[in-house]
Amino acid sequence: MTCIASVFKASCLFVLLVAVACRPINRPKVFNVQRYGAKAGGKIDNAKAFTNIWKSACARKSGNSKIYVPKGTFYLGGVEFVGPCTNQIELAIDGTLLAPANPRDIKNDTWINFRYINNLIISGAGTLDGQGKESWPLNDCHKNPNCPKLAMTMGFAFVNNSRINGITSLNSKMGHFNFFSVHHFNITDVTITAPGDSPNTDGLKFGFCSNIHISNTHIGTGDDCIAILSGTTNMDISNVKCGPGHGISVGSLGKNKDEKDVNGLTVRDTVFNGTSDGIRIKTWESSASKILVSNFVYENIQMINVGNPIIIDQKYCPHPPCEKKGESHVQIQDLKLKNIYGISTNKVAVNLQCSKSFPCKNVELYDINLEHKGVTGGPSTAVCENVDGSARGKMVPQHCLN
């Protein structure tokens, strides 16, 4: 009986293994863009072909879809990909998507735009080439109210549970990636590149977003490496290299009446190299809204020849003179800065200028070591206005907290 039972069990196990092995694998349907009408070579506009491919991939009723861009250069005019889609959809880019060099050939404010989509994946070793060089001299909006509208490279609006992995964004006309009302989004192993003198080429820009994770990403631009705007909460940034650029900036905030709180930011294990700023919070002096900026942690951050390694500016005025109507109404509180070290090119390495009406609260400094090496001599210094907090451990420069 024992032998019969053993044979029966072995037979059942064999049948089970065969059944599992024979079960069909749910692979996504692949839409190779060249097989569906797109032409490489960098001269023919593939916008219509890409839009039609997207519609087919998005509308599949069973199984996931993968749109594949093989190696080669695919010229693409302004295009918009709209959901909702039935299942997960992936845009895998191994080639180059080439934007029009003439900014007037993109009619919308974003070159490649995704809206109302869940479970979206952008992947591959390819490149988004914004061809921004021709556009940058036109960017004079700080002095010309009739300046031309320039397009962001890639935008996401109302996109959730999604991710970007591996691609490169090159020479955007304006910002590289823009996120609005995006939730649960991961960004990993992305490279963002534009010259340090290219105007307004922010790397990653977020507004009204939540649960964002950014890691292992290299950003070099002519503006903020990462810009965190109104209504953004629960953001984790790690292992980012920033430079050139204006650092990781929260703000500017307070200019508009409908702004919302910014809460829950962690920046860790990050390097700023040759940037004008490092850790930066900026609010307009004469605020139109009363909002709260709170629960920030900055930890294990290296500054390599950074102009303003740590700066809170609640008198933000990008193009003086600015009209002054009063103090900022943005409340900043509960900030921890730990193990921030390196070289400041400005003598003032820690600059905390907070609002007189809403002083900064509970700013904690732990082990700050920022030496000064610049044109003017002398050790680094700290400046504090209207800020309450505490300091522990090594402190270079000497802190000025109340």
Side-chain angles (χ1 to χ4, degrees):
M1 290 295 293
T2 303
C3 293
I4 295 173
S6 297
V7 172
F8 178 75
K9 290 180 180 178
S11 300
C12 291
L13 179 61
F14 175 76
V15 171
L16 178 62
L17 291 174
V18 170
V20 171
C22 295
R23 185 180 299 164
I25 299 173
N26 185 20
R27 291 190 177 95
K29 178 177 174 58
V30 178
F31 295 79
N32 186 315
V33 296
Q34 282 188 302
R35 296 176 185 171
Y36 286 83
K39 306 294 184 183
K43 295 182 179 179
I44 298 174
D45 188 356
N46 290 289
K48 185 175 181 180
F50 270 66
T51 300
N52 290 337
I53 294 167
W54 173 268
K55 288 178 180 178
S56 297
C58 182
R60 288 192 70 231
K61 296 188 181 301
S62 62
N64 299 330
S65 298
K66 181 177 181 178
I67 300 172
Y68 179 61
V69 181
K71 290 184 179 180
T73 300
F74 296 84
Y75 181 87
L76 191 64
V79 65
E80 189 167 60
F81 301 126
V82 182
C85 297
T86 308
N87 294 292
Q88 177 180 286
I89 189 164
E90 178 178 3
L91 174 60
I93 306 168
D94 281 339
T96 296
L97 298 183
L98 188 67
N102 187 341
R104 294 174 181 83
D105 290 340
I106 302 176
K107 305 305 179 184
N108 296 322
D109 59 4
T110 306
W111 171 34
I112 303 171
N113 203 23
F114 297 88
R115 294 192 300 127
Y116 302 106
I117 305 164
N118 293 329
N119 304 310
L120 172 69
I121 301 172
I122 310 293
S123 67
T127 299
L128 310 173
D129 188 346
Q131 294 209 89
K133 188 175 181 180
E134 188 174 315
S135 299
W136 298 330
L138 304 175
N139 194 324
D140 60 351
C141 299
H142 62 283
K143 61 181 180 180
N144 176 16
N146 298 314
C147 61
K149 181 186 292 185
L150 302 176
M152 307 274 290
T153 288
M154 184 172 279
F156 302 85
F158 311 101
V159 174
N160 303 313
N161 301 309
S162 300
R163 67 180 186 266
I164 303 175
N165 180 67
I167 64 173
T168 295
S169 179
L170 176 67
N171 294 337
S172 61
K173 290 175 170 56
M174 281 278 285
H176 290 261
F177 294 96
N178 189 59
F179 301 83
F180 177 79
S181 194
V182 167
H183 308 285
H184 298 280
F185 200 108
N186 289 354
I187 300 165
T188 57
D189 298 307
V190 169
T191 300
I192 297 172
T193 302
D197 60 354
S198 57
N200 297 116
T201 52
D202 298 86
L204 301 166
K205 199 167 189 175
F206 300 88
F208 293 93
C209 297
S210 70
N211 298 295
I212 307 296
H213 295 268
I214 305 167
S215 62
N216 303 319
T217 289
H218 189 178
I219 306 172
T221 74
D223 209 306
D224 296 332
C225 289
I226 302 175
I228 302 160
L229 304 179
S230 167
T232 299
T233 62
N234 297 330
M235 175 176 284
D236 183 86
I237 300 169
S238 64
N239 294 298
V240 168
K241 293 181 179 179
C242 171
H246 297 176
I248 295 178
S249 296
V250 177
S252 57
L253 298 172
K255 186 176 184 179
N256 302 310
K257 291 182 179 181
D258 58 350
E259 294 187 23
K260 302 297 181 183
D261 296 346
V262 178
N263 178 67
L265 169 67
T266 299
V267 181
R268 52 193 166 86
D269 305 319
T270 287
V271 177
F272 296 91
N273 190 347
T275 55
S276 62
D277 305 280
I279 297 165
R280 186 185 190 195
I281 302 174
K282 49 184 178 175
T283 76
W284 289 85
E285 184 169 23
S286 302
S287 301
S289 59
K290 294 182 181 180
I291 60 173
L292 178 65
V293 174
S294 62
N295 295 316
F296 286 9
V297 176
Y298 300 90
E299 185 172 13
N300 301 332
I301 295 176
Q302 183 181 12
M303 306 285 180
I304 303 173
N305 299 322
V306 174
N308 301 297
I310 300 172
I311 180 168
I312 296 176
D313 180 9
Q314 293 208 260
K315 297 180 180 179
Y316 179 64
C317 176
H319 306 295
C322 295
E323 185 179 5
K324 296 183 179 182
K325 296 181 179 179
E327 296 288 333
S328 175
H329 289 178
V330 177
Q331 176 68 67
I332 299 172
Q333 67 184 45
D334 301 327
L335 271 59
K336 292 183 179 180
L337 296 92
K338 183 177 182 180
N339 193 30
I340 316 296
Y341 61 95
I343 303 299
S344 173
T345 59
N346 287 335
K347 190 173 176 64
V348 179
V350 179
N351 193 353
L352 310 177
Q353 298 190 50
C354 298
S355 169
K356 186 176 181 180
S357 298
F358 293 85
C360 296
K361 298 178 181 178
N362 194 27
V363 176
E364 301 179 36
L365 304 179
Y366 301 86
D367 294 324
I368 308 298
N369 186 10
L370 295 168
E371 297 183 359
H372 170 233
K373 290 185 180 178
V375 177
T376 59
S380 60
T381 61
V383 171
C384 298
E385 292 182 11
N386 309 307
V387 54
D388 180 68
S390 61
R392 290 190 295 177
K394 186 171 184 176
M395 209 54 55
V396 177
Q398 181 62 42
H399 78 88
C400 52
L401 298 172
N402 293 327

